[in-house]
Amino acid sequence: MTRRQALQTEETQTGKIRTAENQTEGPNTANAQPEHRKTAQAHAAETEVAATYTAERPTAESGAAVTQTAELSAAETSAAEKPSAATSPAESQPAKRKGGGDPEEPVVRVSELSAAYRKNRVLEDVNFSVGRGTLTCIVGPNGAGKSTLLKVMLDLHPRLSGTVSFFGTSYGKVKSRIGYVPQRGAVDWDFPADALDVVLMGLYGQIGWLNWPRRRHRELALAAMEKMGIEHLAKRQISQLSGGQQQRVFLARALVQDADLYFLDEPLAGVDAATEWAIMETLRTLKERGKTVLVVHHDLHTVREYFDHVLLLNRTVIAHGPTEETFTRDNIARTYGGALRWLEAGVV
Amino acid sequence: MIPALSPNAQWVLLSTLILGAASGIVGCLAYWKRHSLMSDALSHAALPGVVVGFALAGTKNLPLMTAGAAASALLGAWLVVGIRDHSRVKEDTAMGIVLSVFFGLGIMLLTIVNRLPGGNQAGLDSFIFGQAASMVRKDVYMMAGLALLVVIVTTVSFKEWKLWLFDPLFAKGLGLPGRLMDAAYLTVVVLVIVIGIQAVGVILMAALFIIPAVSARYWTHSFGRMIALSALFGGAAGASGTLVSTMGEGWPTGPFIVIAAAVLFLVSLAFGRKKGGLVGALQRYIRKRRMRRRPSPGTSS
């Protein structure tokens, strides 16, 4: 129930944007509307039949409001796919669920993975699996292979051996359900584009190759920017954004992608406290919506506060599990090696 | 068209204008791919292919020479990538090696071929500095076709280029076919080079790639406008350089085109609206003066 509540508060927050979106979208989505409603009802029926019905009764006004929220929740999960994709939402929705499927089936399963840069092995025999709806951080010393692990898992860096499966299948088949947020420094921010351009890139898969973005895509992107508190920067040159703002742009781009599994490479590196808070709020919201999030992290002080699972990595997995049990002095010491006088300062 | 010019000169002018525009567009892609120097290496690497193509045909057979140029440019590109990926040598060093070795090889072959009967009348030397005057109406059609292809390729997949150039890792994650983009990119680059070297020459071809793009960067913060401006600058440089070079007997076109492009670059550098140095300096100066006027202790002098 708590999850449901959280879901709904989140939706009421975004409700305003979404409503505006529906109004301005025009004839294009007007015919998609009934479809929204249909799935919304299916959604509601599946989860909480009674609640929806009682809510719909009292007054016409509040009833309408609730239907809208329900509608939004459906729109939320497959919002952008709907208009462009040929498949009807009725088809894609259950498929999407089934894929995430069995809650026992891990979202990510890595076995015997190893990788190298030239002759230096960076990752050796990495084994772990990540469950659905978890917020996991990957910590380890510099050069432990944290970023490499993400890249190898996503086929961005060649692997020497081992297998990685997502949602019980291979990466290629579920690409669209996986969002990747590279390190901020991985791109050239001098590139001539504005913030909205970059956020729109998250929708390219849904827009379709060789198609041009339309107004509804722009509105989706703006809504995501609003969630990150940067909607006023939409037309700002990306070179004129601060580090924290750039990171928020990247996060908005990931949000708009509407993936089920997110990989973030050091999203909190070099950002101010407000941005850190905004990013963590977003990640928590994602988690509450049943998404799975993996974050490369470097600040041991905040691990306990921010993440429910932790993966300690130093070329191989040292320990992995719920933060409470795993993030222990012993495990940290084993991960970071002998020179641990700084640990005395009270990290844990 | 300019009535004072002979019909042939008018065709030449038109073809360099189109060529300049096409290379301006492709140059923008190369600029953001960080391949400015790569285009230089590729155009130098085209020379041996031109000479070999000529030697095989025995006469100045343009399609064969163009094919030869494309083949050796691609071989050069392949070598650069091969050296970079399979040795400790960095990409810029690899390009330096390929550029000079291929050019040296080209000059060596050229000297040999020039000694052959009929060799030195072929005007192979013009491939070094470019001789637009030798172009005819057929070349104009070829260049127009090329420019059209380039415009189509860049506009149809404009959003894909933007993504691929800005964030290739993210692009790959979204399922953008990276190999296809690589291939398309290399194709347009090599096409523009092999067709352009006739007019501009292998040595200076890269300038037509780099200078319009970097000049355009000073005027806009939008990728689309940058491409359009770069095409405009390239076309203007091509046309005006050619115009000047027709004033003298046997003047090579390449250097004049490059100088024309350089003038445009200097103007952009100084007056560019977005990043121009002079404009920026003026803004800073005004700001400073305003600060100074404000009465503040300690800055009385």
Side-chain angles (χ1 to χ4, degrees):
Chain A
M1 193 60 205
T2 46
R3 226 196 84 199
R4 181 73 197 166
Q5 277 169 347
L7 246 165
Q8 242 153 25
T9 42
E10 202 262 328
E11 269 143 20
T12 12
Q13 278 169 359
T14 55
K16 238 190 333 198
I17 320 159
R18 299 273 167 185
T19 327
E21 197 175 285
N22 285 347
Q23 280 166 356
T24 46
E25 263 178 333
N28 248 334
T29 41
N31 47 13
Q33 204 76 328
E35 285 179 348
H36 276 237
R37 189 151 295 143
K38 210 164 40 189
T39 31
Q41 276 166 4
H43 185 86
E46 202 179 291
T47 48
E48 277 178 280
V49 189
T52 320
Y53 275 128
T54 44
E56 254 180 69
R57 293 254 165 92
T59 63
E61 231 180 76
S62 71
V66 171
T67 341
Q68 188 138 40
T69 337
E71 200 178 300
L72 293 166
S73 78
E76 193 81 60
T77 41
S78 64
E81 247 172 47
K82 216 164 280 167
S84 60
T87 53
S88 82
E91 275 167 26
S92 68
Q93 193 89 348
K96 210 167 180 176
R97 291 244 179 79
K98 212 190 281 170
D102 179 14
E104 303 305 314
E105 169 69 26
V107 172
V108 184
R109 189 195 291 275
V110 175
S111 46
E112 292 166 16
L113 191 75
S114 55
Y117 278 107
R118 293 199 183 281
K119 280 173 190 162
N120 306 325
R121 281 215 169 193
V122 219
L123 294 172
E124 210 139 2
D125 194 28
V126 174
N127 293 287
F128 66 94
S129 54
V130 178
R132 185 163 179 268
T134 52
L135 182 49
T136 307
C137 72
I138 303 173
V139 289
N142 289 338
K146 303 180 295 270
S147 299
T148 312
L149 177 61
L150 290 199
K151 284 185 187 153
V152 173
M153 287 169 74
L154 299 173
D155 282 348
L156 300 170
H157 183 87
R159 71 184 68 152
L160 289 177
S161 62
T163 53
V164 180
S165 70
F166 298 100
F167 308 104
T169 177
S170 70
Y171 172 59
K173 288 188 188 138
V174 285
K175 251 182 185 178
S176 62
R177 296 176 60 189
I178 299 169
Y180 171 53
V181 181
Q183 276 184 22
R184 190 157 42 83
V187 302
D188 181 0
W189 290 93
D190 201 32
F191 191 83
D194 58 37
L196 183 62
D197 279 338
V198 176
V199 177
L200 266 175
M201 286 176 186
L203 286 167
Y204 279 9
Q206 289 152 11
I207 293 167
W209 301 127
L210 307 186
N211 268 338
W212 288 78
R214 291 172 197 282
R215 200 157 122 195
R216 60 163 183 271
H217 298 125
R218 235 161 248 135
E219 273 150 11
L220 278 174
L222 278 172
M225 293 182 84
E226 190 161 340
K227 273 190 205 168
M228 292 308 306
I230 47 166
E231 73 279 10
H232 60 290
L233 300 172
K235 285 286 150 200
R236 181 76 63 86
Q237 256 315 293
I238 53 171
S239 57
Q240 289 162 10
L241 298 171
S242 72
Q245 288 165 342
Q246 289 172 348
Q247 197 66 61
R248 289 186 198 214
V249 167
F250 263 9
L251 254 287
R253 182 175 74 170
L255 277 186
V256 90
Q257 213 181 331
D258 198 29
D260 292 326
L261 168 63
Y262 284 102
F263 290 93
L264 296 94
D265 201 344
E266 302 239 8
L268 303 179
V271 302
D272 59 21
T275 305
E276 183 162 329
W277 185 83
I279 290 172
M280 284 319 298
E281 271 303 298
T282 309
L283 296 187
R284 273 191 282 263
T285 311
L286 285 174
K287 181 196 149 186
E288 275 152 15
R289 278 165 53 198
K291 317 261 176 178
T292 311
V293 184
L294 261 96
V295 181
V296 170
H297 191 55
H298 65 286
D299 185 4
L300 296 179
H301 293 93
T302 51
V303 168
R304 267 179 202 284
E305 186 188 343
Y306 288 163
F307 301 96
D308 54 28
H309 282 68
V310 61
L311 191 155
L312 290 154
L313 186 84
N314 193 352
R315 298 181 63 212
T316 188
V317 178
I318 308 289
H320 176 217
T323 313
E324 288 302 314
E325 305 152 28
T326 318
F327 198 62
T328 58
R329 258 188 92 87
D330 270 6
N331 282 337
I332 298 170
R334 281 201 294 143
T335 312
Y336 284 83
L340 271 180
R341 212 172 302 151
W342 53 270
L343 260 182
E344 312 294 326
V347 174
V348 231
Chain B
M1 290 227 157
I2 299 134
L5 290 174
S6 69
N8 187 52
Q10 292 187 5
W11 283 117
V12 170
L13 197 63
L14 193 61
S15 63
T16 49
L17 189 141
I18 295 171
L19 171 74
S23 63
I25 294 172
V26 179
C28 264
L29 306 182
Y31 179 83
W32 288 110
K33 185 102 173 95
R34 309 263 159 238
H35 268 181
S36 295
L37 198 59
M38 186 70 157
S39 63
D40 200 19
L42 285 185
S43 57
H44 278 75
L47 188 61
V50 173
V51 184
V52 169
F54 172 80
L56 284 179
T59 56
K60 200 172 173 187
N61 179 336
L62 214 53
L64 200 62
M65 286 159 76
T66 309
S72 74
L74 285 174
L75 180 69
W78 183 74
L79 278 177
V80 169
V81 174
I83 292 173
R84 182 195 64 193
D85 289 348
H86 298 286
S87 73
R88 283 191 173 277
V89 178
K90 296 256 181 345
E91 190 173 27
D92 58 336
T93 319
M95 286 190 288
I97 297 170
V98 168
L99 184 153
S100 45
V101 168
F102 272 67
F103 187 63
L105 184 71
I107 295 289
M108 193 184 83
L109 292 173
L110 196 67
T111 326
I112 297 170
V113 169
N114 268 343
R115 297 240 173 93
L116 298 176
N120 59 354
Q121 283 102 36
L124 275 183
D125 292 347
S126 67
F127 276 92
I128 298 175
F129 289 117
Q131 195 72 61
S134 63
M135 287 192 294
V136 288
R137 188 191 290 222
K138 215 172 67 191
D139 297 324
V140 180
Y141 292 148
M142 194 152 91
M143 289 196 179
L146 160 85
L148 199 66
L149 179 80
V150 167
V151 168
I152 290 173
V153 166
T154 42
T155 49
V156 165
S157 48
F158 175 72
K159 122 178 160 303
E160 284 73 21
W161 288 116
K162 200 154 86 170
L163 174 63
W164 184 68
L165 292 170
F166 173 64
D167 196 343
L169 287 188
F170 188 74
K172 221 173 154 187
L174 280 186
L176 183 76
R179 278 168 186 276
L180 189 69
M181 294 301 281
D182 279 329
Y185 165 76
L186 200 61
T187 307
V188 287
V189 168
V190 169
L191 264 180
V192 170
I193 285 177
V194 296
I195 293 177
I197 52 176
Q198 259 193 93
V200 191
V202 294
I203 297 185
L204 297 174
M205 186 60 216
L208 211 48
F209 260 87
I210 303 164
I211 301 178
V214 73
S215 307
R217 182 71 189 97
Y218 282 97
W219 295 96
T220 176
H221 279 323
S222 142
F223 187 55
R225 274 198 287 275
M226 181 177 163
I227 287 185
L229 264 180
S230 179
L232 190 74
F233 287 165
S240 54
T242 310
L243 205 60
V244 176
S245 79
T246 51
M247 290 172 181
E249 189 65 39
W251 284 4
T253 355
F256 287 96
I257 291 180
V258 171
I259 295 299
V263 169
L264 276 173
F265 171 69
L266 285 176
V267 170
S268 307
L269 184 67
F271 300 105
R273 214 156 49 86
K274 293 296 177 190
K275 298 190 122 197
L278 214 62
V279 174
L282 201 69
Q283 284 166 348
R284 275 193 298 278
Y285 175 74
I286 292 170
R287 218 176 298 141
K288 235 181 208 168
R289 274 191 58 158
R290 274 201 201 127
M291 295 279 278
R292 217 174 281 160
R293 259 188 221 155
R294 227 173 279 154
S296 63
T299 52
S300 50
S301 56

